Amino acid sequence: MELTLLGTGAPRGLPRPGCPCAVCARAVGGEARAATALLVDGALLIDLTPGPAFAAARAGQSLTAVRQVLLSHPHDGPALEVPAGLPQPGRVADGRELALLDGHRVRAVAVDVPGTGYEIGGPDGERLLYLPPGAAPAGLGEGNGTTAGRGDAHGAGGGPYDLVLLDVLARPDALARLRAGGAVDAATDVVAVHIDHGVPPGPELHRRLAAAGARAVPDGSSLVVGEYHAVPDLPRRTLVLGGARSGKSAEAERRLAAFPDVLYVATGGTREGDTEWAQRVTLHRERRPGSWRTAETCDLVPLLLDDGAEAAAGAAMGSAPGAGTDLGAVPGPGTGTGRKPGAAPLLIDCLALWLTHAMDEVGAWDDATWEAGGRQALRERTDALVAAVRATRRTVVAVSNEVGSGVVPATASGRRFRDELGRLNAAFGAECEQLLLVVAGQALALRG
């Protein structure tokens, strides 16, 4: 089954007409994208892009053999153009199946926005899923995690799709749902469509998609469904550094937004009477996907070393000041993903607060205590943490402050913290496949 993308952009295209933003200004030449439209084996057209006949011709295709035109979403872009000779566009009701004479089978999939997703099965058993802009599947079956009804949709017993096309940038949670349900696995080719002006084109676009295990292709690209494509190699350990309000936490969260069962490890805890800190914590919580779980703890080593440590950590945290958990109703770790239960990705935010807690416990702020054994005690804790990062088999994204480039602290304890955090960042980063520095919201790759 061959798929030609006549367009890969949002319904209004990229650049958006009349938009003065920097992304639209840069979306020229090969970075410009027409509204997303799919041509399947020359016979099935899903969604319409401006000038579809010319778009097909530029891609080396023709619309003369098209026997069915389907729409996936209400159209609010430029006026639809239906070339002469094509059937009138229509939609398939959710849950209904359409069999085409050439052997393709199309099943409508319910989504959580106005519109319809489509499963398409080819004559040889290949399977793809296409979702409309801003959409996630609304009917994930309970237990087996597959899209409702898809087990017998093509007589192939369901399982992971060969190809998935969706709005990865606007709805990374949709990809997380598909992964949690087993509809997307490590071999699924995930292609981003409906690309809008929220992310700069070029390297930044491809970097963000690669972090989600997805890719983008230019308008006019043809893909063979089921043909092997190198899936972006996701780093298992990543350290994200940055200054205050640099966007480092948002970058770390973005790197795991397309994956299910994430355990967010907050090392800051709570601070009674500090309303400004409470507001910061609230903002962080509101920004995270609702399916993520939260653990407030500085006991990181067990989480890194033990695939099933969340339950034990949750019990232990009850005795620690400010500790707690927020384990919302989400699928169990590893559901439909092939991972062992408990091997959820970890997002640790942040190492600077972990170090503050460790220095508190060893009395590192007092000069006499520091020299009398505090230094050695802290070194043992940081060495244990670094060793755990080296040994972990979990996906880990950690956040830390980069404080060595600013004003020299006025106190000996302040300089001690700055020096120890620098050492910790260097040692932790040495064990990570990827190291990022975030400046003014822009992520710069230092490694990987």
Side-chain angles (χ1 to χ4, degrees), residues 40 43-44 67-68 70 98-106 120:
V40 182
L44 171 64
R67 296 293 176 264
Q68 185 76 48
L70 297 176
L98 176 69
L100 305 184
L101 293 177
D102 59 1
H104 294 90
R105 300 178 72 85
V106 181
I120 304 171

Side-chain angles (χ1 to χ4, degrees), residues 306-336:
D306 187 350
D307 283 346
E310 287 99 320
M317 283 186 290
S319 61
T325 56
D326 178 9
L327 306 179
V330 296
T335 302

Side-chain angles (χ1 to χ4, degrees), residues 7-17 33-37 46-51 71-81 113-115 130-135 166-167 170 193-198 219:
T8 57
R12 296 176 63 185
L14 183 68
R16 287 190 177 191
R33 300 177 184 273
T36 297
I46 298 183
D47 286 333
L48 289 169
T49 194
L71 299 180
S72 73
H73 60 94
H75 193 81
D76 59 358
L80 285 173
E81 175 190 342
V113 299
Y130 170 69
L131 297 179
L166 77 163
D167 196 345
V193 290
H194 312 303
I195 296 172
D196 208 349
H197 63 175
D219 288 6

Side-chain angles (χ1 to χ4, degrees), residues 226-429:
E227 184 177 75
Y228 173 76
H229 285 276
V231 177
D233 187 17
L234 303 176
R236 189 152 49 84
R237 290 161 291 206
T238 300
L239 177 60
V240 182
L241 297 169
R245 298 297 194 216
S246 62
K248 58 186 182 299
S249 292
E251 172 65 26
E253 292 162 11
R254 189 160 49 232
R255 300 189 70 76
L256 292 175
F259 296 90
D261 306 333
V262 174
L263 180 62
Y264 186 102
V265 184
T267 60
T270 58
R271 302 179 183 180
E272 290 189 17
D274 191 334
T275 56
E276 191 272 339
W277 180 259
Q279 290 172 354
R280 285 176 178 249
V281 171
T282 299
L283 288 174
H284 274 254
R285 286 175 176 166
E286 291 176 347
R287 194 172 59 203
R288 297 173 212 152
S291 63
W292 286 12
R293 296 167 296 144
T294 300
E296 294 179 357
T297 181
C298 285
D299 195 10
L300 302 182
V301 172
L303 289 172
L304 291 165
L305 293 181
D306 187 350
D307 283 346
E310 287 99 320
M317 283 186 290
S319 61
T325 56
D326 178 9
L327 306 179
V330 296
T335 302
T337 63
R339 299 193 311 265
K340 292 191 297 181
L346 297 180
L347 197 163
I348 301 170
D349 194 355
C350 70
L351 295 183
L353 291 172
W354 177 89
L355 180 64
T356 301
H357 175 78
M359 292 180 71
D360 285 343
E361 291 203 327
V362 303
W365 309 109
D366 179 76
D367 292 346
T369 305
W370 176 250
E371 295 299 337
R375 185 200 307 270
Q376 181 60 31
L378 182 64
R379 195 60 44 84
E380 289 173 357
R381 291 189 181 219
T382 56
D383 288 349
L385 176 61
V386 171
V389 174
R390 181 186 305 122
T392 189
R393 297 184 181 276
R394 305 178 74 154
T395 297
V396 178
V397 176
V399 179
S400 190
N401 291 79
E402 178 52 61
V403 299
S405 301
V407 176
V408 176
T411 65
S413 59
R415 293 189 292 274
R416 185 173 302 141
F417 174 79
R418 176 203 60 185
D419 294 347
E420 293 302 323
L421 183 58
R423 293 188 182 99
L424 175 60
N425 287 345
F428 195 105

Side-chain angles (χ1 to χ4, degrees), residues 93-123:
D94 290 347
R96 299 294 296 274
E97 189 172 293
L98 176 69
L100 305 184
L101 293 177
D102 59 1
H104 294 90
R105 300 178 72 85
V106 181
R107 184 179 181 86
V109 176
V111 295
D112 60 0
V113 299
T116 304
Y118 293 109
E119 289 182 354
I120 304 171

